[in-house]
Amino acid sequence: MSIELSGLQKRFKLQHKHSSKQQQRDPRERDGYFHSVEHVGFHCQQGEVLGLLGPNGAGKTTTLRMLSTALTPDAGDILIDGQSIVRNPILGRRKIGFLSGSTGLYGRLTAKENVSYFAKLHGIKGKQLSARLDELFTLLDMHSFLDKRAEHLSTGMKQKTNIARAVVHSPSVVVLDEPTTGLDIMTKQTVLNFIQQLKVQGTPVIFSTHHMDEVSMLCDRIHIIDQGFSCFDGTVAELQQAGQHQELNAAFMQLLKRDTEQPNV
């Protein structure tokens, strides 16, 4: 199982006009559009964790929304085992487990009811449903709050429930957008252990984060997006070499600085 993104582009119509004399305008604002993603492409293979990095506003969120089929690319394609989910978005929704920063739960349903509901939407029921729920609730250490309404859950409990909801249908590919943001140390470790388990099971994981300790712990490869373009793809060691620094934060910043000084054309 693998996923490949190639030549992705996405622009949005600007709602305001710019003066020709306006200074320091974002170079991606042109011709009445904001070109959020100019050219992005990467792949993730079976059993691989790919760290997706980039500064705020780089185009990561737009890329992930195209990957989730919430947005349709203006150009490019997304293939899962050679099948296009741009042309067949329903296939993508079946094969991808997607967790975004804005994913919500139904507040009046319990944690268990939320996950069960989404499982049933995927056609999972009966003994298969019971077995899958028990497996996830154990892996994510959720048994202590399963009967609490989502509106009364802590941030960590909600995130565990969101992750269980995203992967309840045993997707072929898992995409996690900053899954540890705002979590306490214990909950964060549970989430990281769960990602490791996905890797052991052979599931490709695309993992967006700003935390370099998580990158060094989990990621087989790193892909960096800056100003709407793919600007790096390689291993942790290759990022250290490209950024001329052993410390990942410093290597990342150096690579972005070099990319800014030599803009894409």
Side-chain angles (χ1 to χ4, degrees):
M1 183 59 61
S2 64
I3 184 167
E4 180 178 359
L5 291 71
S6 59
L8 291 186
Q9 298 178 24
K10 187 65 182 178
R11 65 180 187 172
F12 300 96
K13 186 74 174 177
L14 291 171
Q15 300 301 312
H16 58 281
K17 295 182 179 180
H18 291 285
S19 166
S20 59
K21 297 181 179 179
Q22 186 173 349
Q23 299 298 311
Q24 297 182 333
R25 189 174 72 188
D26 191 314
R28 288 183 287 170
E29 294 184 4
R30 58 184 186 272
D31 305 323
Y33 289 89
F34 177 71
H35 296 256
S36 177
V37 173
E38 303 258 31
H39 193 280
V40 166
F42 56 84
H43 66 274
C44 187
Q45 304 294 330
Q46 183 172 352
E48 187 173 62
V49 178
L50 176 71
L52 186 63
L53 309 181
N56 289 334
K60 295 195 310 300
T61 297
T62 301
T63 298
L64 290 174
R65 290 183 70 194
M66 288 189 282
L67 181 52
S68 75
T69 73
L71 288 176
T72 301
D74 296 326
D77 208 350
I78 303 169
L79 304 178
I80 296 181
D81 275 357
Q83 296 180 287
S84 172
I85 66 170
V86 173
R87 292 192 291 273
N88 187 357
I90 298 298
L91 175 69
R93 291 163 201 163
R94 290 174 181 157
K95 287 185 172 289
I96 293 176
F98 185 81
L99 175 75
S100 75
S102 59
T103 301
L105 299 170
Y106 294 106
R108 294 192 175 186
L109 297 182
T110 66
K112 182 176 182 178
E113 288 169 341
N114 266 282
V115 182
S116 297
Y117 173 71
F118 282 95
K120 290 172 183 176
L121 289 179
H122 285 284
I124 305 170
K125 53 188 176 181
K127 292 182 179 179
Q128 181 188 10
L129 174 60
S130 297
R132 180 59 175 159
L133 293 182
D134 188 61
E135 177 188 20
L136 285 175
F137 295 156
T138 299
L139 284 171
L140 289 166
D141 192 21
M142 294 176 59
H143 287 288
S144 64
F145 60 87
L146 288 178
D147 295 324
K148 282 188 177 182
R149 283 173 138 187
E151 61 191 359
H152 300 309
L153 298 178
S154 69
T155 299
M157 292 173 182
K158 286 180 179 177
Q159 190 68 329
K160 287 182 179 181
T161 306
N162 272 325
I163 291 172
R165 177 205 58 78
V167 302
V168 70
H169 59 302
S170 301
S172 302
V173 178
V174 173
V175 181
L176 302 172
D177 186 9
E178 300 183 22
T180 63
T181 299
L183 302 185
D184 62 77
I185 293 174
M186 294 297 292
T187 305
K188 175 179 175 178
Q189 190 59 52
T190 299
V191 172
L192 296 180
N193 290 343
F194 181 71
I195 296 172
Q196 288 279 24
Q197 184 64 31
L198 289 172
K199 179 177 178 178
V200 169
Q201 293 171 354
T203 304
V205 179
I206 297 172
F207 174 56
S208 169
T209 183
H210 288 290
H211 302 291
M212 291 301 180
D213 61 324
E214 297 175 359
V215 171
S216 61
M217 183 189 310
L218 291 173
C219 297
D220 300 288
R221 287 191 306 107
I222 297 167
H223 190 86
I224 299 176
I225 299 174
D226 189 28
Q227 300 181 74
F229 287 88
S230 294
C231 65
F232 175 83
D233 191 283
T235 64
V236 170
E238 288 168 341
L239 175 59
Q240 292 168 326
Q241 182 178 13
Q244 300 178 331
H245 208 288
Q246 286 299 110
E247 205 280 312
L248 285 182
N249 273 312
F252 174 72
M253 294 301 296
Q254 181 62 29
L255 190 145
L256 290 183
K257 179 181 177 182
R258 186 180 68 197
D259 187 59
T260 302
E261 291 171 348
Q262 299 176 335
N264 296 281
V265 294

